[in-house]
Amino acid sequence: MGQGRHSALAAAVTVVCAVTLLGAPGTAFARALPDPTTPAAPASPAAPPLAPSVTLPPDQDLEAVRTKLDGLYHDAAVATDAYNLADEKAKKQSAEITDLNRKIADEQRKLDGLKERAGAAASAQYRTGGLPPEVQLMLGNDPQDFFDGAGSLLQSQRATKNLIEETTRAQQDLELYAGDAADRLRELEAGRKAKAAAKKRIKQRIKEAEQLEAKLEKRQRERLAELERQAAEQAQSAWLSTGILDELDGRASASGRKAVEFATAQLGKPYEWGAVGPRTYDCSGLTSRAWAAAGHPVPRTSQQQWHQLEHVDIKDMRPGDLIIYFDDASHVGMYVGDGTIVHAPRPGRTVTLAGAGSMPILGVVRPTAD
């Protein structure tokens, strides 16, 4: 019997220690991380300085101006893809942080409840002289009372053990969620800086191009437009001379027709970098929105579309397929048939039809297998 009383005292000490542990001050995990929808003020890295002002060239050098403009707008397109990618990641990370903040709040409420239960157990001990009623019963002189209270003692021990284990799990989950949320927040901040840097670069390149075009006289701008048209026609003629149209006999799928119908309905709407409609579009904004309207969402950027969608041989191309242009996959158009694409070209232009071979083709991707 003495040994039994000794065990009971040990169990009581366990309860007291557990309560002390649960009531001790520790790390406050309840505080959720900042709302990710509130933009931070990122310190954007210094962007490349603007090019020095360009001297108005003679007419015979307008081809050099055209090449310079192509380079500026291409650089803006690359930066636009980087901006769009950073924007997509930021939206995903913000949603993840919101979800983690909810989990943190739920776990904190759970932990608070466990601590409240532990506090109630501690109060009960103090009211009974520092020992649970079951222990006091065991220390009494009536053997029958002792055996009657044995079952209650075992239940109390199991409850104490479960309380400690549940509290430990809640604390671990809280630490895990808080750590994950902190990681997502750091990634979000890095993404915001990348997005801000891309935005600055886009604006700079477009401004440089506009300044260059503004230096031209009306007749030179008209001549420049003619040079651009001729260059596109020559590229398209060279592409068609390969006999590619003789090999193209693919018919659009039902979803492909829907995508083409949506894209061609946007003809005449202005290009705007980062835009996905309904009034303005950039190149991948148009193709991604068209395929979403067809019931098959595709990645947002032209580079993602190139890397993530199914590649098809150009001779198997059919209306609705996406043609990716330039070695860096910085532009995309939708094939509509008869050697033609619909695309959003660049700033200052509108959604238009163009020859599928008027720009250097990297490859063709297909959003669906139907």
Side-chain angles (χ1 to χ4, degrees), residues 204-262:
Q204 285 179 331
R205 294 301 177 260
I206 293 175
K207 183 177 181 180
E208 289 181 63
E210 290 174 344
Q211 289 175 339
L212 180 55
E213 290 180 295
K215 290 181 177 295
L216 301 177
E217 297 174 353
K218 180 180 178 181
R219 62 181 179 84
Q220 290 177 311
R221 289 196 296 271
E222 292 173 349
R223 176 58 181 159
L224 182 63
E226 177 63 18
L227 289 174
E228 291 176 351
R229 185 187 64 79
Q230 288 178 0
E233 286 184 354
Q234 289 172 3
Q236 176 73 353
S237 296
W239 184 67
L240 293 176
S241 68
T242 63
I244 186 64
L245 285 188
D246 296 334
E247 300 183 43
L248 295 178
D249 58 2
R251 295 182 180 180
S253 64
S255 55
R257 284 194 299 273
K258 290 180 181 179
V260 169
E261 288 171 3
F262 181 94

Side-chain angles (χ1 to χ4, degrees), residues 179-337:
D180 287 347
D183 290 342
R184 296 291 86 74
L185 192 62
R186 283 190 291 269
E187 291 173 1
L188 179 62
E189 183 59 26
R192 282 173 172 163
K193 290 180 180 179
K195 182 178 172 181
K199 180 178 180 178
K200 180 173 288 189
R201 188 174 185 86
I202 293 166
K203 289 187 172 183
Q204 285 179 331
R205 294 301 177 260
I206 293 175
K207 183 177 181 180
E208 289 181 63
E210 290 174 344
Q211 289 175 339
L212 180 55
E213 290 180 295
K215 290 181 177 295
L216 301 177
E217 297 174 353
K218 180 180 178 181
R219 62 181 179 84
Q220 290 177 311
R221 289 196 296 271
E222 292 173 349
R223 176 58 181 159
L224 182 63
E226 177 63 18
L227 289 174
E228 291 176 351
R229 185 187 64 79
Q230 288 178 0
E233 286 184 354
Q234 289 172 3
Q236 176 73 353
S237 296
W239 184 67
L240 293 176
S241 68
T242 63
I244 186 64
L245 285 188
D246 296 334
E247 300 183 43
L248 295 178
D249 58 2
R251 295 182 180 180
S253 64
S255 55
R257 284 194 299 273
K258 290 180 181 179
V260 169
E261 288 171 3
F262 181 94
T264 53
Q266 313 311 310
L267 290 171
K269 292 186 177 181
Y271 176 101
E272 182 182 4
W273 61 268
V276 292
R279 292 181 296 273
T280 59
Y281 296 89
D282 63 19
C283 68
S284 58
L286 175 65
T287 55
S288 61
R289 185 62 70 186
W291 271 103
H296 294 276
V298 299
R300 170 65 178 89
T301 73
S302 58
Q303 292 178 349
Q304 287 176 308
Q305 290 169 6
W306 172 244
H307 290 298
Q308 297 180 28
L309 298 179
E310 177 192 1
H311 288 211
V312 296
D313 195 293
I314 195 168
K315 65 181 177 59
D316 298 322
M317 183 169 60
R318 65 191 188 190
D321 287 346
L322 305 181
I323 304 181
I324 310 297
Y325 293 97
F326 304 106
D327 290 342
D328 53 9
S330 58
H331 190 70
V332 60
M334 179 181 293
Y335 186 64
V336 298

Side-chain angles (χ1 to χ4, degrees), residues 15 18 35 72 126 146 167 187-188 214 251 257 333-334 350 367:
V15 173
D35 185 349
L72 289 171
Y126 285 119
F146 168 78
T167 303
E187 291 173 1
L188 179 62
R251 295 182 180 180
R257 284 194 299 273
M334 179 181 293
T350 61

Side-chain angles (χ1 to χ4, degrees), residues 106-171:
D106 290 344
E107 287 301 319
Q108 186 61 58
R109 283 191 292 270
K110 180 179 179 181
L111 188 58
D112 290 343
L114 292 170
K115 288 183 178 181
E116 186 176 345
R117 287 168 53 189
S123 297
Q125 289 183 11
Y126 285 119
R127 287 195 302 269
T128 57
L131 293 176
E134 297 85 351
V135 176
Q136 288 190 339
L137 183 63
M138 292 181 65
L139 296 179
N141 295 321
D142 189 336
Q144 185 60 47
D145 288 343
F146 168 78
F147 287 113
D148 290 343
S152 298
L153 175 60
L154 291 175
Q155 290 180 351
S156 177
Q157 289 175 327
R158 284 195 292 267
T160 300
K161 179 181 178 183
N162 291 339
L163 179 61
I164 294 173
E165 291 176 349
E166 192 175 357
T167 303
T168 300
R169 286 195 299 270
Q171 288 176 326

